[in-house]
Amino acid sequence: MADESPTLDLLERLAAASDRMTIDALSRQIGLPEPLLRLRLAKLVARGWVDADAEGMSYAIGVAALRPISAYLSADRTARLAGPILNRLRDQLDETIRLVRLDGPEVVCLASREAPDDTAGPMVGRRFPAITAASGRAILAARDPAEVEAIITAGVEAITSDSVVERAELYAALADCRERGVAYERGELVPGVGCLAAAVHVDGLPVTDAISCGVPLARLTPDHADDIAAGLRRAADEIAIALLG
Protein backbone atom coordinates (compact mmCIF):
# COMPACT_ATOMS: atom_id res chain seq x y z
CA MET A 1 0.00 0.00 0.00
CA ALA A 2 1.33 3.43 -0.93
CA ASP A 3 2.32 5.76 1.89
CA GLU A 4 -0.43 8.38 2.17
CA SER A 5 1.42 10.53 4.73
CA PRO A 6 2.74 13.03 2.15
CA THR A 7 -0.79 13.52 0.81
CA LEU A 8 -2.11 14.20 4.31
CA ASP A 9 0.83 16.53 4.97
CA LEU A 10 0.01 18.33 1.74
CA LEU A 11 -3.62 18.85 2.70
CA GLU A 12 -2.68 20.02 6.19
CA ARG A 13 -0.16 22.52 4.80
CA LEU A 14 -2.69 23.96 2.39
CA ALA A 15 -5.39 24.11 5.07
CA ALA A 16 -3.08 26.01 7.42
CA ALA A 17 -1.78 28.45 4.80
CA SER A 18 -3.09 32.03 4.90
CA ASP A 19 -2.70 32.35 1.11
CA ARG A 20 -2.19 30.20 -1.96
CA MET A 21 1.04 28.19 -2.08
CA THR A 22 3.39 27.68 -5.00
CA ILE A 23 4.81 24.39 -6.20
CA ASP A 24 8.28 25.41 -5.01
CA ALA A 25 7.05 26.22 -1.50
CA LEU A 26 5.07 23.00 -1.25
CA SER A 27 7.97 20.91 -2.55
CA ARG A 28 10.32 22.36 0.09
CA GLN A 29 7.89 21.99 2.97
CA ILE A 30 6.53 18.53 2.11
CA GLY A 31 9.85 17.11 0.93
CA LEU A 32 8.51 15.62 -2.30
CA PRO A 33 10.20 15.99 -5.71
CA GLU A 34 8.21 18.25 -8.04
CA PRO A 35 7.05 15.53 -10.49
CA LEU A 36 5.59 13.40 -7.69
CA LEU A 37 4.11 16.46 -6.00
CA ARG A 38 2.38 17.53 -9.22
CA LEU A 39 0.96 14.03 -9.64
CA ARG A 40 -0.52 14.05 -6.13
CA LEU A 41 -1.86 17.58 -6.60
CA ALA A 42 -3.51 16.65 -9.90
CA LYS A 43 -5.40 13.81 -8.22
CA LEU A 44 -6.52 16.06 -5.36
CA VAL A 45 -7.58 18.82 -7.77
CA ALA A 46 -9.62 16.33 -9.80
CA ARG A 47 -11.56 15.33 -6.65
CA GLY A 48 -12.03 18.88 -5.36
CA TRP A 49 -9.76 18.62 -2.32
CA VAL A 50 -7.33 21.16 -3.76
CA ASP A 51 -7.93 24.24 -5.93
CA ALA A 52 -5.39 25.11 -8.63
CA ASP A 53 -4.99 28.41 -10.46
CA ALA A 54 -5.36 28.51 -14.25
CA GLU A 55 -1.64 27.99 -14.83
CA GLY A 56 -1.27 25.23 -12.24
CA MET A 57 1.37 27.25 -10.40
CA SER A 58 -0.37 27.97 -7.09
CA TYR A 59 -2.71 25.93 -4.94
CA ALA A 60 -5.17 26.29 -2.07
CA ILE A 61 -7.40 23.97 -0.09
CA GLY A 62 -10.48 22.99 -2.11
CA VAL A 63 -14.19 23.00 -1.44
CA ALA A 64 -14.28 19.23 -0.92
CA ALA A 65 -12.42 19.80 2.35
CA LEU A 66 -15.70 21.10 3.76
CA ARG A 67 -17.22 17.60 3.63
CA PRO A 68 -15.36 16.08 6.60
CA ILE A 69 -15.77 19.32 8.58
CA SER A 70 -19.52 19.27 8.00
CA ALA A 71 -19.73 15.58 8.87
CA TYR A 72 -17.72 16.07 12.06
CA LEU A 73 -19.82 19.00 13.25
CA SER A 74 -23.09 17.24 12.39
CA ALA A 75 -22.04 14.26 14.51
CA ASP A 76 -20.64 16.33 17.39
CA ARG A 77 -23.16 16.49 20.23
CA THR A 78 -21.57 19.50 21.93
CA ALA A 79 -21.64 21.60 18.76
CA ARG A 80 -25.31 20.71 18.17
CA LEU A 81 -26.45 21.44 21.72
CA ALA A 82 -24.39 24.63 21.99
CA GLY A 83 -25.91 26.21 18.88
CA PRO A 84 -29.03 27.80 20.44
CA ILE A 85 -27.03 28.87 23.49
CA LEU A 86 -24.44 30.61 21.34
CA ASN A 87 -27.24 32.33 19.42
CA ARG A 88 -28.81 33.69 22.61
CA LEU A 89 -25.51 34.95 24.00
CA ARG A 90 -24.61 36.62 20.70
CA ASP A 91 -27.95 38.43 20.72
CA GLN A 92 -27.65 39.41 24.40
CA LEU A 93 -24.14 40.82 24.10
CA ASP A 94 -24.25 41.91 20.44
CA GLU A 95 -20.80 40.34 20.13
CA THR A 96 -19.39 37.38 18.22
CA ILE A 97 -19.40 34.13 20.21
CA ARG A 98 -17.40 31.01 19.36
CA LEU A 99 -17.15 27.41 20.56
CA VAL A 100 -13.64 25.97 20.52
CA ARG A 101 -12.02 22.64 21.33
CA LEU A 102 -8.56 21.69 22.54
CA ASP A 103 -6.55 19.64 20.04
CA GLY A 104 -3.03 19.01 21.28
CA PRO A 105 -1.25 22.33 21.83
CA GLU A 106 -3.89 24.20 19.79
CA VAL A 107 -7.55 25.10 19.93
CA VAL A 108 -9.80 24.77 16.89
CA CYS A 109 -13.03 26.70 16.32
CA LEU A 110 -16.06 24.39 16.06
CA ALA A 111 -18.85 26.95 15.80
CA SER A 112 -19.22 30.69 15.45
CA ARG A 113 -22.11 33.11 15.79
CA GLU A 114 -21.05 36.46 14.33
CA ALA A 115 -22.26 39.85 15.49
CA PRO A 116 -23.45 42.27 12.78
CA ASP A 117 -20.22 44.30 12.92
CA ASP A 118 -17.86 41.29 13.00
CA THR A 119 -14.85 41.82 10.74
CA ALA A 120 -12.85 38.67 11.45
CA GLY A 121 -14.71 36.56 8.92
CA PRO A 122 -15.33 32.79 9.04
CA MET A 123 -13.44 31.10 11.87
CA VAL A 124 -14.77 27.52 11.89
CA GLY A 125 -11.80 25.22 11.45
CA ARG A 126 -9.25 27.91 12.30
CA ARG A 127 -6.54 26.99 14.81
CA PHE A 128 -4.70 29.04 17.41
CA PRO A 129 -2.04 28.29 20.04
CA ALA A 130 -3.93 27.15 23.13
CA ILE A 131 -1.61 28.85 25.61
CA THR A 132 -2.09 32.23 23.89
CA ALA A 133 -5.82 32.14 23.10
CA ALA A 134 -8.20 33.02 25.92
CA SER A 135 -10.28 29.95 25.02
CA GLY A 136 -7.21 27.73 25.24
CA ARG A 137 -6.22 29.18 28.59
CA ALA A 138 -9.73 28.60 29.92
CA ILE A 139 -9.40 24.93 29.00
CA LEU A 140 -5.78 24.49 30.07
CA ALA A 141 -6.53 26.03 33.47
CA ALA A 142 -8.57 22.87 34.18
CA ARG A 143 -6.22 20.34 32.58
CA ASP A 144 -3.39 18.23 33.99
CA PRO A 145 -0.49 20.52 34.99
CA ALA A 146 1.91 18.18 33.17
CA GLU A 147 0.07 18.89 29.92
CA VAL A 148 0.43 22.63 30.43
CA GLU A 149 4.08 22.28 31.35
CA ALA A 150 4.77 20.30 28.17
CA ILE A 151 3.16 23.01 26.01
CA ILE A 152 5.13 25.79 27.68
CA THR A 153 8.39 23.84 27.62
CA ALA A 154 7.98 23.26 23.88
CA GLY A 155 8.17 27.03 23.43
CA VAL A 156 5.62 29.81 23.15
CA GLU A 157 5.77 31.97 20.03
CA ALA A 158 4.85 35.65 20.22
CA ILE A 159 1.99 36.26 17.78
CA THR A 160 1.84 40.01 18.41
CA SER A 161 3.91 42.52 20.36
CA ASP A 162 1.49 42.01 23.29
CA SER A 163 1.76 38.22 23.39
CA VAL A 164 2.76 36.76 26.76
CA VAL A 165 5.58 34.24 26.41
CA GLU A 166 7.25 34.18 29.83
CA ARG A 167 6.54 31.07 31.89
CA ALA A 168 5.68 32.97 35.10
CA GLU A 169 3.21 35.24 33.32
CA LEU A 170 1.54 32.32 31.54
CA TYR A 171 1.06 30.43 34.79
CA ALA A 172 -0.27 33.63 36.39
CA ALA A 173 -2.83 33.94 33.58
CA LEU A 174 -4.01 30.38 34.19
CA ALA A 175 -4.23 30.97 37.93
CA ASP A 176 -6.26 34.12 37.31
CA CYS A 177 -8.64 32.11 35.13
CA ARG A 178 -9.14 29.49 37.83
CA GLU A 179 -9.97 32.28 40.30
CA ARG A 180 -12.33 34.24 38.04
CA GLY A 181 -13.81 31.41 36.02
CA VAL A 182 -12.95 33.34 32.85
CA ALA A 183 -9.71 33.69 30.89
CA TYR A 184 -8.58 36.98 29.36
CA GLU A 185 -6.16 38.01 26.66
CA ARG A 186 -5.74 41.50 25.27
CA GLY A 187 -4.19 41.88 21.85
CA GLU A 188 -2.14 38.69 22.11
CA LEU A 189 -3.61 37.02 19.03
CA VAL A 190 -4.96 39.97 17.03
CA PRO A 191 -3.63 43.50 17.59
CA GLY A 192 -6.28 45.73 19.10
CA VAL A 193 -8.66 42.90 19.93
CA GLY A 194 -9.29 41.40 23.36
CA CYS A 195 -10.89 38.07 24.12
CA LEU A 196 -12.61 36.45 27.10
CA ALA A 197 -13.46 32.76 27.42
CA ALA A 198 -15.06 30.30 29.81
CA ALA A 199 -14.51 26.55 29.81
CA VAL A 200 -17.35 24.02 29.69
CA HIS A 201 -17.06 21.86 32.82
CA VAL A 202 -19.02 18.59 32.66
CA ASP A 203 -18.89 16.51 35.85
CA GLY A 204 -16.73 13.43 35.48
CA LEU A 205 -15.28 14.40 32.09
CA PRO A 206 -12.02 16.12 31.14
CA VAL A 207 -12.42 19.74 30.04
CA THR A 208 -11.99 20.02 26.26
CA ASP A 209 -14.24 22.90 25.18
CA ALA A 210 -14.74 26.59 25.85
CA ILE A 211 -16.80 29.48 24.56
CA SER A 212 -15.16 32.79 23.76
CA CYS A 213 -15.99 36.37 22.85
CA GLY A 214 -13.60 38.67 20.99
CA VAL A 215 -14.07 42.45 21.19
CA PRO A 216 -12.04 45.42 19.88
CA LEU A 217 -10.14 46.86 22.83
CA ALA A 218 -11.48 50.33 22.02
CA ARG A 219 -14.91 49.29 23.32
CA LEU A 220 -13.94 46.58 25.80
CA THR A 221 -14.70 48.74 28.81
CA PRO A 222 -14.55 47.26 32.33
CA ASP A 223 -18.35 47.18 32.53
CA HIS A 224 -18.68 45.51 29.13
CA ALA A 225 -15.98 42.98 30.06
CA ASP A 226 -17.89 42.15 33.25
CA ASP A 227 -21.11 41.63 31.27
CA ILE A 228 -19.30 39.39 28.79
CA ALA A 229 -17.63 37.37 31.55
CA ALA A 230 -20.94 36.79 33.32
CA GLY A 231 -22.63 35.81 30.07
CA LEU A 232 -19.87 33.38 29.13
CA ARG A 233 -19.97 31.68 32.52
CA ARG A 234 -23.76 31.27 32.33
CA ALA A 235 -23.62 29.96 28.77
CA ALA A 236 -20.83 27.49 29.59
CA ASP A 237 -22.94 26.18 32.49
CA GLU A 238 -25.97 25.86 30.18
CA ILE A 239 -23.95 23.81 27.71
CA ALA A 240 -22.66 21.55 30.49
CA ILE A 241 -26.23 21.00 31.76
CA ALA A 242 -27.45 20.24 28.24
CA LEU A 243 -24.68 17.66 27.79
CA LEU A 244 -25.73 15.91 31.00
CA GLY A 245 -29.36 15.76 29.87
Side-chain angles (χ1 to χ4, degrees):
M1 181 179 293
D3 181 9
E4 296 300 326
S5 296
T7 300
L8 294 175
D9 290 343
L10 177 57
L11 289 172
E12 289 181 350
R13 293 280 182 174
L14 290 171
S18 59
D19 202 351
R20 303 183 72 87
M21 296 187 69
T22 65
I23 281 284
D24 287 344
L26 285 168
S27 182
R28 289 195 304 271
Q29 294 188 26
I30 304 300
L32 286 177
E34 184 175 326
L36 180 55
L37 177 60
R38 285 191 178 277
L39 179 62
R40 289 180 183 262
L41 283 168
K43 292 179 179 180
L44 291 169
V45 169
R47 300 184 67 169
W49 288 91
V50 171
D51 176 70
D53 67 3
E55 293 77 27
M57 296 302 295
S58 69
Y59 297 84
I61 198 71
V63 70
L66 289 172
R67 290 200 297 265
I69 295 174
S70 178
Y72 178 86
L73 294 178
S74 295
D76 188 84
R77 186 164 175 261
T78 303
R80 292 200 313 273
L81 292 174
I85 298 169
L86 300 181
N87 288 338
R88 287 198 299 272
L89 187 56
R90 185 265 319 275
D91 294 343
Q92 290 167 9
L93 297 174
D94 200 26
E95 301 288 1
T96 297
I97 308 298
R98 296 188 172 95
L99 172 71
V100 306
R101 177 162 295 162
L102 185 68
D103 184 21
E106 299 176 317
V107 287
V108 58
C109 181
L110 297 185
S112 180
R113 299 296 187 271
E114 287 79 18
D117 62 351
D118 180 82
T119 60
M123 283 286 181
V124 174
R126 292 280 302 276
R127 292 175 172 271
F128 303 96
I131 198 65
T132 301
S135 52
R137 289 176 182 172
I139 297 168
L140 291 175
R143 301 283 293 194
D144 186 333
E147 183 178 4
V148 177
E149 175 65 17
I151 290 174
I152 295 176
T153 299
V156 180
E157 178 184 359
I159 309 299
T160 74
S161 60
D162 292 318
S163 296
V164 173
V165 297
E166 297 299 328
R167 181 183 299 267
E169 292 181 82
L170 291 168
Y171 275 115
L174 297 179
D176 182 70
C177 174
R178 283 188 284 270
E179 180 178 344
R180 296 172 180 264
V182 176
Y184 292 79
E185 64 89 358
R186 290 172 170 78
E188 295 186 50
L189 278 177
V190 180
V193 175
C195 188
L196 296 85
V200 177
H201 294 264
V202 180
D203 289 345
L205 296 177
V207 174
T208 59
D209 301 330
I211 53 174
S212 69
C213 177
V215 184
L217 290 173
R219 56 185 174 81
L220 188 57
T221 63
D223 286 345
H224 193 31
D226 287 344
D227 289 342
I228 292 171
L232 288 170
R233 285 191 291 260
R234 286 195 302 270
D237 287 344
E238 289 179 38
I239 294 171
I241 292 170
L243 288 168
L244 288 172

